[in-house]
Amino acid sequence: MGSGHDCDTIWSDATLLTMAGESLVEQGLVAAKDGRIVYAGPTDTAPDLAATRVIDCQGRLVTPGLIDCHTHIVHGGSRAGEWEVRLAGASYEEIARAGGGIVSTMRATREASEDQLIAASLPRLEALIAEGVTTVEIKSGYGLELASERRMLRAARSLGERCGVTVRTTFLGAHALPPEYAGRADDYIALVTGEMLPALAAEGLVDAVDAFCEGIGFTPAQTERVFVAARKLGLPVKLHAEQLSNQRGAALAARYGALSADHLEHLDDDGIAAMAANGTVATLLPGAFYFTRETKLPPVRALRDAGVPIAIATDCNPGTSPLTSLLLAMNMAATLFRLTVAECWVGTTRNAARALGLADTGILAPGYWADLAVWNVDRPAELVYRMGGRPLHARYRRGI
């Protein structure tokens, strides 16, 4: 490598999992300029490159930075007490109908200032970053009124700037019915679609729009009103679908070109067909499956057979998945859902990017962001297999 193509950084002597192909690239390198990759591949076929910084990876595994495409990281309070009640036999639905669940987190979130939300959320985000995460989706949905939803989304944006991580914000105003709207769900959806969403979108705080379509959430008809409002504002949609029952939300979401439908334990064949036809990603959340002691598996084989892209995320949230390890989510997806190692990696890189509508991350290839994770392991399976430990050697976002 002499005086050739200029670049900022070269990561040399690396074993590359590029996600652009199936096989590992031994003795590879990655080169980046202005935060974008200009080359990723074998050293012996690289163009003549000159860089101001050369990082010797000493044979370590280098992958795209991990992407956690479904989280509720920003919130106030804890639900450890409810978890104890669940251990004694109460169901999630029973707790929610008794005023717990999402509504209890709503109260704690409404009482928190933006700075307090940032301080409470920071350790959760830092835990993900320490495992190689460079992009994370953060949902609102615990304020359930305009001022608190705004604080949540502003906190999410601030966390991204503070921590050097790409944050995609999702407005989840249709997450639960706040107590002041008891018995008036349609009126609350009118508030979400007519006031909250337009105001927050106008402030540049919304990258996508989500809803909880469920027996204890919102009906398909109410969910569709949210989708219509999002479409009018030019915002993509996604959906919490078929987690506790089959409301046929995934098919509805797919008809609106949803980026993803998430959870999906009760997904039926019609929903799978709709997702396949519309390119909607199936985001599986094994942390919630594990934590709620669910027994109905998502239809992984049918999703595979239909060619539906599968993503994996932590679903980090206080009630059903207080999980801040995407590596452990990968292990759970393999162990509980029988995903392969390759599917786990695609699900936390390339397909996770697709679930967020991001076309320029999740792959090590020219033109993509130089979001990299360097690992103290020899092979990708090691990172899916092991539970616990700190395998990350270094993490780079946009080349830095």
Side-chain angles (χ1 to χ4, degrees), residues 229-248:
R231 175 171 282 182
K232 286 180 180 177
L233 293 167
L235 292 167
V237 300
K238 47 180 53 191
L239 189 66
H240 287 64
E242 276 71 87
Q243 180 184 9
L244 305 172
S245 62
N246 182 15
Q247 300 287 320
R248 297 175 174 80

Side-chain angles (χ1 to χ4, degrees), residues 166-191:
T166 299
V167 167
R168 299 292 286 180
T169 53
T170 297
F171 172 63
L172 183 56
H175 194 193
L177 191 64
E180 62 268 27
Y181 278 86
R184 297 189 296 128
D186 283 335
D187 290 343
Y188 179 66
I189 291 297
L191 176 71

Side-chain angles (χ1 to χ4, degrees), residues 40-355:
T43 301
D44 59 9
T45 60
D48 196 18
L49 296 164
T52 54
R53 181 176 62 155
V54 178
I55 298 168
D56 185 353
C57 296
Q58 300 179 325
R60 291 182 176 91
L61 178 69
V62 176
T63 72
L66 299 184
I67 299 169
D68 196 351
C69 63
H70 181 132
T71 86
H72 305 255
I73 279 176
V74 173
H75 61 80
S78 168
R79 302 238 292 271
E82 288 181 17
W83 177 67
E84 285 190 280
V85 173
R86 274 219 308 277
L87 288 178
S91 72
Y92 181 76
E93 293 94 328
E94 287 168 345
I95 291 169
R97 295 191 189 282
I102 292 167
V103 173
S104 67
T105 300
M106 175 209 75
R107 295 189 184 98
T109 301
R110 285 183 176 182
E111 292 170 1
S113 68
E114 185 178 327
D115 286 343
Q116 288 171 328
L117 288 174
I118 291 170
S121 306
L122 194 58
R124 297 187 278 268
L125 182 56
E126 288 176 336
L128 291 173
I129 290 170
E131 289 193 349
V133 169
T134 51
T135 301
V136 61
E137 185 243 28
I138 301 177
K139 301 179 189 293
S140 69
Y142 290 126
L144 307 181
E145 49 90 24
L146 179 57
S148 299
E149 292 286 299
R150 178 185 286 118
R151 284 199 302 277
M152 290 188 71
L153 293 167
R154 286 175 55 88
R157 290 273 198 248
S158 296
L159 284 164
E161 294 166 5
R162 179 177 303 200
C163 295
V165 64
T166 299
V167 167
R168 299 292 286 180
T169 53
T170 297
F171 172 63
L172 183 56
H175 194 193
L177 191 64
E180 62 268 27
Y181 278 86
R184 297 189 296 128
D186 283 335
D187 290 343
Y188 179 66
I189 291 297
L191 176 71
V192 167
T193 58
E195 179 182 338
M196 294 165 66
L197 176 54
L200 296 169
E203 294 170 29
L205 292 173
V206 181
D207 295 320
V209 178
D210 197 350
F212 185 36
C213 184
E214 190 53 75
I216 60 170
F218 295 95
T219 67
Q222 290 161 348
T223 298
E224 186 165 17
R225 288 168 59 191
V226 175
F227 287 171
V228 169
R231 175 171 282 182
K232 286 180 180 177
L233 293 167
L235 292 167
V237 300
K238 47 180 53 191
L239 189 66
H240 287 64
E242 276 71 87
Q243 180 184 9
L244 305 172
S245 62
N246 182 15
Q247 300 287 320
R248 297 175 174 80
L252 170 64
R255 289 199 299 274
Y256 280 83
L259 295 173
S260 70
D262 304 16
H263 287 290
L264 303 177
E265 282 84 348
H266 293 264
L267 179 66
D268 62 16
D269 289 343
D270 289 343
I272 292 170
M275 291 175 69
N278 291 280
T280 298
V281 174
T283 299
L284 304 184
L285 305 170
F289 180 93
Y290 162 83
F291 197 77
T292 60
R293 295 188 285 187
E294 179 59 73
T295 57
K296 185 171 178 59
L297 291 163
V300 170
R301 179 172 293 181
L303 289 166
R304 274 194 200 118
D305 291 346
V308 176
I310 296 174
I312 301 163
T314 63
D315 191 19
C316 176
N317 77 76
T320 61
S321 186
L323 175 63
T324 54
S325 171
L326 191 53
L327 293 178
L328 183 53
M330 293 165 75
N331 176 276
M332 288 177 171
T335 303
L336 299 174
F337 298 164
R338 300 295 189 265
L339 267 65
T340 66
V341 168
E343 286 173 327
C344 288
W345 275 102
V346 172
T348 52
T349 55
R350 194 170 72 211
N351 286 350
R354 184 170 173 177

